[in-house]
Amino acid sequence: MEGKPNRSNAAIGNKTSFSKKTSKRVWDSIAAYTVQCERCSKWRFIPTKEKYEEIRERLAEQPFFCETAREWRSDLSCNDEPDVIQDGNWRWAIDKPSIPQPPPGWQRILRIRAKGGTKFADVYYVTPSSKRLRSMTEVQSYLIEHPEYPCLTASQFSFQIPSPLEENYVRKRHARSITLHGDTTMRVNPTSWVGTLLHMLRIQLKVEVCEGSSAC
DNA sequence: GCCACCGGTGGC
DNA sequence: GCCACCGGTGGC
C-alpha cells in the first residue's frame, strides 16, 4: 500500500442497500473504498459508495487530491497521516478506472467470491424494478424490452471487476491440477501481474476478510 | 421455485 | 492469460 505517484484509491463499509420498490436487500461485499492522492500518494477513505463511483468515473480527467476529500473532511491535507496502512486484516483489490456511474435508480453490485475459486468477483446491475442483470447481453436485451429507458445505452454499464492484490486469490485456469484418484492438490502458477496492474490502475477497493475475524 | 454463488469455456 | 457469458446447483 505504499504510495506510488499518480494513483488514487477509495472505501465503504459492508454496505446494504434497499431497492426502493421492493425493499429487497441488496448486498455489496466491499468493506471500504479508498482513493490515492495524486500529489502525496496517501490513501483516503471515501465515505459512500456513490461518492466513490462518482470519483472513479472521472478519475482519468479529474485527479483526486487530499483537498478533494474536504467535501466530507474539512481540515484534511497532504500533511495528515494516510487513512490506510496495509495490514493483514484486509484484502485489497485494484479497481478499474472510468467505470460509469450506474444510472439513477439502478445499482451496480460487486460481489467478491471466496478465495480459491475460478474468478475473483461478479458484477451485476439491479434495475429499478429489482431485476438482476449479469452481463452486457442481458443489459442490451433488457433495454430493448423496456423502452421506458430511452436514454440508456450499453455504454453506461460496465461489468469489469477489480483485480485482487493477493497473489493466488484466484485459482489460475491453466494451473489447475487434474484430480485423479482422490488427489485434490491444487497447484497455482505464481506470476508478477499484480505489480504490473499497480502501475496501470488507479483505484483500489478494500475487501472485507471474513475468515475467523471477530469483525465479521 | 427462486436466486446467489460458482465453475466452465469460448473468444480474444 | 484474461474476460465475458451463461449454465448448474445448493440453500432457502
Side-chain angles (χ1 to χ4, degrees):
Chain A
M1 205 52 57
E2 289 304 313
K4 285 192 168 66
N6 306 320
R7 281 194 289 129
S8 301
N9 152 31
I12 294 185
N14 231 17
K15 189 175 178 68
T16 307
S17 54
F18 293 83
S19 162
K20 287 178 181 174
K21 284 193 175 178
T22 65
S23 296
K24 183 179 179 180
R25 286 196 302 181
V26 179
W27 291 85
D28 222 347
S29 58
I30 304 303
Y33 298 91
T34 63
V35 177
Q36 191 179 35
C37 174
E38 186 90 357
R39 185 184 306 113
C40 69
S41 300
K42 292 172 182 171
W43 296 94
R44 300 300 180 194
F45 283 120
I46 307 300
T48 67
K49 178 184 179 183
E50 290 71 25
K51 177 57 68 177
Y52 172 75
E53 289 175 331
E54 179 186 327
I55 293 171
R56 177 179 59 189
E57 180 181 49
R58 302 176 187 164
L59 200 54
E61 316 86 59
Q62 205 171 92
F64 179 87
F65 297 105
C66 288
E67 288 75 12
T68 312
R70 288 180 180 171
E71 186 179 329
W72 56 90
R73 288 175 64 182
S74 59
D75 55 347
L76 187 71
S77 77
C78 292
N79 294 325
D80 293 307
E81 291 296 306
D83 293 355
V84 174
I85 50 174
Q86 192 172 25
D87 56 41
N89 294 329
W90 300 90
R91 288 196 168 113
W92 292 88
I94 308 285
D95 204 1
K96 302 294 191 297
S98 304
I99 293 175
Q101 294 181 68
W106 294 59
Q107 293 181 77
R108 184 180 189 271
I109 303 297
L110 177 63
R111 297 286 295 148
I112 306 300
R113 293 190 178 190
K115 185 178 179 180
T118 59
K119 195 179 169 188
F120 176 60
D122 295 291
V123 169
Y124 61 89
Y125 283 85
V126 180
T127 73
S129 58
S130 297
K131 181 171 173 56
R132 187 168 123 145
L133 306 177
R134 300 189 299 161
S135 67
M136 202 61 88
T137 307
E138 291 185 5
V139 166
Q140 288 169 332
S141 299
Y142 184 87
L143 293 179
I144 290 171
E145 293 163 7
H146 292 78
E148 61 265 38
Y149 303 109
C151 299
L152 295 188
T153 65
S155 66
Q156 292 168 268
F157 298 82
S158 169
F159 289 88
Q160 288 187 291
I161 62 172
S163 301
L165 282 188
E166 183 180 347
E167 204 170 359
N168 302 332
Y169 187 96
V170 176
R171 190 200 324 159
K172 298 289 187 288
R173 181 181 174 186
H174 296 298
R176 279 198 306 268
S177 66
I178 299 172
T179 301
L180 292 172
H181 308 300
D183 175 12
T184 56
T185 303
M186 195 157 62
R187 292 191 295 270
V188 180
N189 184 29
T191 68
S192 59
W193 60 271
V194 167
T196 302
L197 285 176
L198 274 170
H199 287 88
M200 295 175 63
L201 301 174
R202 302 167 66 89
I203 307 173
Q204 292 188 320
L205 303 174
K206 190 175 185 182
V207 182
E208 189 162 15
V209 170
C210 293
E211 294 177 350
S213 164
S214 58
C216 302

